Amino acid sequence: MRKTMRRRTSCGIVQKTARHALFLGALVLAFTTAISSAVAAPAPVPEPDPFYSTPADLGAHQSGDPLAWRSVKLFGLSTPLPMTVWQIQYLTTDSENKPITTIATVIEPTAPWRGPGSRPLVAFASAEDALTTACAPSATLRAPINIGSQTTLDLPFLVGPLLLGYALVIPDYEGPQSRFLDGVMSGHALLDGIRAARRFPSTGLANSPTGIWGYSGGAYAALWAGQLRATYAPELPLTGIAAGGIPADIPAIARAADGGPKAALALLIAAALIRNEPKAKIEVLLNKRSTGMLADVGKRCGSGLLQTYSGTHVRDYSLAADLFAHPTVVAAAQRQELGAITPDVPLYLYHSNADEMIPTPGVHALINRYCSMGSTLTQHFSNIPGHSGAAMVEAVGALRYLGDRFASGPPARGCAAAS
């Protein structure tokens, strides 16, 4: 595939490194400012929160309709921020096409948009990677700053678009059952979150050019949204999708994590497949010891799970010699894999050549599949080592790609390597 790709003109490694440094400096400055502005931690968000209650009249609404809304403060900060923040409960459909509700957090700078046309909107898919709504973005964005929470780790990536004057919508795309690695659920909820942000009159985003950005678990949701847009939300004028650290080949990801410092990811994947694929009855392949593990994995966020299960092996909980090679598990994972549908939105896909969490062969295979099906795609395999390292450094390329789409429209058709 690489032989047939068009290579775009390089701007030079020195200029690219300088741009990285300047951009990351701005992110770090904004991140530090937000942290230093935090007051003493307020009381935890009360649960259950009535805002999440499902209205009785879902049949009177369409997917993407706002159902309830409230103004909130990010991370409970008392210092006024130059932005308005809304949370919107909206209607979406799950992977069985049943109507459900979930939440989107919409952040809009208060400063006027000074570019041409309407203020751009970026749908940011945060890597929720959990089986409990306590880890959903709408909950953690309101809670006190916690260095271990995913949305706190995502803060630099939220600040980047806001510094450029873009608005953000951050959907709880796993839905009210926290369906991690449920592709259709993720795609539907992300697309309906965009609809809700555009339909909500207090934001003024109805005519905004719109792109999607996600990394790791967020990339999974972003690409499923791209795959489903044409049939599920054809009216949404998406200009581009930037996705990095791409979860392709779910069993390979689990095997890479198994027995290592991030072994909790393998257990989380097993638990997610059990939840998302109940007809597969994967639980019969597990031993009695798995009962406590599944209960624990189902109620905690990733940072705590990583510490608890570091070095753990899936075989400690399995009756199968290799759970992720068992035909039942392979078939269940295959139903959730990316790549069966061609996204009709221009794509920017980036990944570290030395990603310790997501092996690159599956990513190459996914890109080859998309290109063979006619996708318009720019790929960038980074020499920045590590899953987290590439997330930070290569963010500039993702934002630049979305900015180019907002300013210039679609790129040339076909597949190309990034400069």
Side-chain angles (χ1 to χ4, degrees):
M1 172 177 171
R2 292 180 180 175
K3 292 181 180 178
T4 63
M5 283 190 169
R6 304 184 308 277
R7 182 165 295 278
R8 296 176 181 171
T9 304
S10 172
C11 295
I13 191 168
V14 174
Q15 291 176 318
K16 187 174 181 181
T17 303
R19 287 198 303 270
H20 282 171
L22 288 172
F23 184 77
L24 292 175
L27 293 186
V28 170
L29 176 61
F31 180 77
T32 304
T33 300
I35 295 292
S36 64
S37 299
V39 295
V45 175
E47 296 293 347
D49 186 336
F51 182 70
Y52 292 77
S53 299
T54 301
D57 62 341
L58 291 187
H61 300 277
Q62 297 180 334
S63 292
D65 278 355
L67 304 176
W69 47 88
R70 64 184 178 187
S71 176
V72 298
K73 294 181 179 179
L74 287 180
F75 302 111
L77 299 177
S78 63
T79 303
L81 298 174
M83 61 191 72
T84 56
V85 186
W86 293 92
Q87 288 194 331
I88 304 171
Q89 183 193 62
Y90 62 96
L91 181 66
T92 187
T93 56
D94 66 14
S95 51
E96 285 79 41
N97 288 316
K98 296 176 182 177
I100 59 171
T101 62
T102 191
I103 310 297
T105 304
V106 180
I107 308 174
E108 188 173 11
T110 53
W113 169 246
R114 307 212 178 264
S118 300
R119 183 192 303 277
L121 173 65
V122 173
F124 184 79
S126 182
E128 185 174 335
D129 296 0
L131 298 173
T132 169
T133 55
C135 310
S138 65
T140 56
L141 283 168
R142 287 181 294 119
I145 287 175
N146 177 349
I147 297 302
S149 79
Q150 184 58 50
T151 45
T152 302
L153 297 174
D154 283 339
L155 186 54
F157 309 114
L158 304 183
V159 170
L162 294 171
L163 287 175
L164 295 172
Y166 304 159
L168 288 169
V169 56
I170 309 161
D172 292 0
Y173 59 81
E174 289 187 10
Q177 294 181 337
S178 295
R179 299 282 288 259
F180 175 52
L181 292 181
D182 183 332
V184 174
M185 171 78 250
S186 300
H188 285 179
L190 185 50
L191 291 167
D192 283 326
I194 296 171
R195 282 169 161 165
R198 291 168 64 91
R199 292 175 187 174
F200 185 53
S202 296
T203 61
L205 300 172
N207 298 311
S208 292
T210 303
I212 299 176
W213 184 17
Y215 193 86
S216 194
Y220 178 81
L223 290 174
W224 265 101
Q227 292 184 167
L228 297 176
R229 189 211 70 87
T231 55
Y232 186 76
E235 84 287 358
L236 283 183
L238 297 183
T239 60
I241 295 174
I246 303 158
D249 193 342
I250 293 169
I253 296 168
R255 288 196 195 92
D258 190 32
K262 297 180 180 178
L265 178 59
L267 304 178
L268 186 62
I269 289 173
L273 291 176
I274 291 171
R275 177 175 293 187
N276 298 341
E277 299 283 341
K279 293 180 181 179
K281 299 190 181 302
I282 295 171
E283 61 273 15
V284 305
L285 301 174
L286 302 180
N287 59 30
K288 292 182 179 180
R289 187 181 175 191
S290 70
T291 304
M293 178 273 292
L294 291 173
D296 188 38
V297 168
K299 66 184 180 184
R300 288 203 287 152
C301 301
S303 57
L305 292 174
L306 288 176
Q307 184 176 3
T308 300
Y309 294 100
S310 178
T312 299
H313 291 272
V314 173
R315 65 173 180 262
D316 297 335
Y317 303 99
S318 175
L319 298 173
D322 183 349
L323 183 67
F324 288 99
H326 193 281
T328 297
V329 178
V330 171
Q334 184 58 43
R335 289 189 287 272
Q336 302 297 346
E337 293 282 7
L338 291 160
I341 306 169
T342 307
D344 67 343
V345 181
L347 305 175
Y348 177 81
L349 304 186
Y350 59 108
H351 200 84
S352 171
N353 283 319
D355 191 310
E356 78 287 3
M357 286 184 63
I358 302 175
T360 58
V363 182
H364 282 289
L366 175 64
I367 290 174
N368 288 340
R369 191 154 54 249
Y370 278 158
C371 289
S372 70
M373 294 190 296
S375 294
T376 296
L377 186 154
T378 301
Q379 67 161 296
H380 175 57
F381 281 88
S382 173
N383 289 322
I384 301 298
H387 191 73
S388 297
M392 179 63 73
V393 176
E394 300 299 345
V396 64
L399 270 180
R400 183 174 61 228
Y401 182 83
L402 292 178
D404 288 346
R405 302 288 71 75
F406 294 147
S408 306
R413 292 181 60 87
C415 288
S419 59

